[in-house]
Amino acid sequence: MDGAGPRAAPRRLRRARRRGFRAGVELRLYGQHHPFAQLRGSMKGLRAVTEEMGALTVTGGASDPRATAAAALKDLEHAVAARRPGHLYI
């Protein structure tokens, strides 16, 4: 990528946005049957909408919120990197 650490992240996100990636965090109410409504305490949930697979929802694990956020951003970085021509990210 173009550098390491949190200071490089804004550049990567701007580049991802130009390539069509969108990300956001917001507070929202969900109905009682939605997977996010089942989260308790420090559990987390993530919803991603992709052209290839539609909507994906992942929930689980109670862990340190900072570690989870860092892992989610790293996963986003990997997804962005994988879309670059000729780039294989394993």
Side-chain angles (χ1 to χ4, degrees):
M1 301 289 321
D2 56 12
R7 293 183 182 181
R11 287 190 304 269
R12 290 185 204 127
L13 290 174
R14 282 192 300 274
R15 194 172 302 137
R17 193 171 291 127
R18 287 193 301 268
R19 292 185 176 131
F21 282 91
R22 298 288 178 259
V25 175
E26 62 186 76
L27 293 176
R28 190 183 274 188
L29 295 175
Y30 290 95
Q32 65 181 353
H33 298 293
H34 190 281
F36 287 172
Q38 309 309 312
L39 298 175
R40 299 288 180 263
S42 61
M43 295 176 68
K44 289 135 202 88
L46 172 75
R47 181 172 187 257
V49 180
T50 69
E51 290 178 11
E52 292 83 8
M53 296 185 292
L56 303 169
T57 303
V58 180
T59 63
S63 62
D64 177 48
R66 289 174 294 203
T68 300
L73 288 173
K74 189 56 133 175
D75 289 345
L76 176 61
E77 177 185 340
H78 290 184
V80 170
R83 290 199 47 162
R84 290 200 320 225
H87 187 81
L88 178 61
Y89 213 112
I90 300 175

